[in-house]
Amino acid sequence: MANKDKIVGLIPIREGSQRVKEKNFREFANGKSLFEIKIDQLKQAGCFDHIYVSSDSAKAKKIALANGAEFLPRDSRMCQSDVLLAEVIMHIMETIPGDPIVVWALATSPLFSDFAQAVKKYLEVKKDHDSLIAVLPKKSFFLNKHGRGINYNPGYWHPYSQQLETWYEVTGACYIGRKSDMLKWSYWFGTKPYLYEVKNSQ
């Protein structure tokens, strides 16, 4: 009998922020920060063998351990905004023990807490899909900055919205895939992702 895959939740966190200072650590709701809320959401999902926090921050480590998460030290260079995303992903993946299924959970998406269902869906579809990403389906009319249609041709032949092709916004709320695959891709998801639809950008 094959061993059951380990499933881990991963919260990547930076203490610094270019736009909003310490946004992940400020009080957000009910006396808790975005970071603490995300740890709580993963714990409540009840489907993770480990909940990891990846950071170079002593503050993040203290909060992680106080809230029942495990801390993965990240090289401070890999928390800088000028480093390629691929390098950051590779570095973080290399700090995770074994070859589990990894669920990325970004603190900046506090409204998404559907991790148990997302994991369940990934396990159902992983024979046909190499990854899962949370997406927001949209049937809207998009223009570029010059007022020209991106997904339709404006004019008297203007289609009804229900005739438009559905586009999918990547929300950043959740990415799921196997660690070894993410190392191979140097990215969050592969070429055959399952599009896990959510109701808002979260």
Side-chain angles (χ1 to χ4, degrees), residues 85-97:
L85 175 62
E87 293 182 69
V88 176
I89 291 173
M90 293 279 284
H91 176 71
I92 293 175
M93 289 298 101
E94 288 168 351
T95 67
I96 296 175

Side-chain angles (χ1 to χ4, degrees), residues 137-143 149-154 157-168:
K138 289 187 174 182
K139 279 199 172 186
S140 302
F141 299 97
F142 295 100
L143 302 174
I150 294 174
N151 65 325
Y152 76 109
N153 191 11
W157 47 80
H158 182 104
Y160 291 105
S161 60
Q162 59 265 33
Q163 296 172 310
L164 293 172
E165 180 182 357
T166 302
W167 284 34
Y168 297 89

Side-chain angles (χ1 to χ4, degrees), residues 36-53:
E36 292 167 311
I37 289 169
K38 193 54 60 179
I39 294 174
D40 283 349
Q41 289 171 343
L42 293 184
K43 288 166 64 177
Q44 290 165 14
C47 59
F48 297 109
D49 295 289
H50 300 274
I51 296 172
Y52 294 126
V53 171

Side-chain angles (χ1 to χ4, degrees), residues 29-75:
N30 300 319
K32 293 195 173 186
S33 65
L34 291 172
F35 181 26
E36 292 167 311
I37 289 169
K38 193 54 60 179
I39 294 174
D40 283 349
Q41 289 171 343
L42 293 184
K43 288 166 64 177
Q44 290 165 14
C47 59
F48 297 109
D49 295 289
H50 300 274
I51 296 172
Y52 294 126
V53 171
S54 172
S55 183
D56 69 338
S57 165
K59 181 185 292 187
K61 180 178 182 178
K62 182 178 180 180
I63 294 172
L65 298 179
N67 286 273
E70 299 172 57
F71 187 75
L72 298 176
R74 193 187 328 171
D75 189 293

Side-chain angles (χ1 to χ4, degrees), residues 108-155:
T108 47
S109 296
L111 300 182
F112 182 86
S113 60
D114 199 16
F115 292 103
Q117 286 302 312
V119 167
K120 180 181 178 182
K121 177 55 69 174
Y122 171 78
L123 294 175
E124 289 173 359
V125 305
K126 67 185 180 76
K127 288 185 179 179
D128 300 309
H129 297 271
D130 56 16
S131 48
L132 176 148
I133 53 179
V135 296
L136 178 64
K138 289 187 174 182
K139 279 199 172 186
S140 302
F141 299 97
F142 295 100
L143 302 174
N144 64 19
K145 66 179 182 179
H146 304 293
R148 297 188 178 90
I150 294 174
N151 65 325
Y152 76 109
N153 191 11

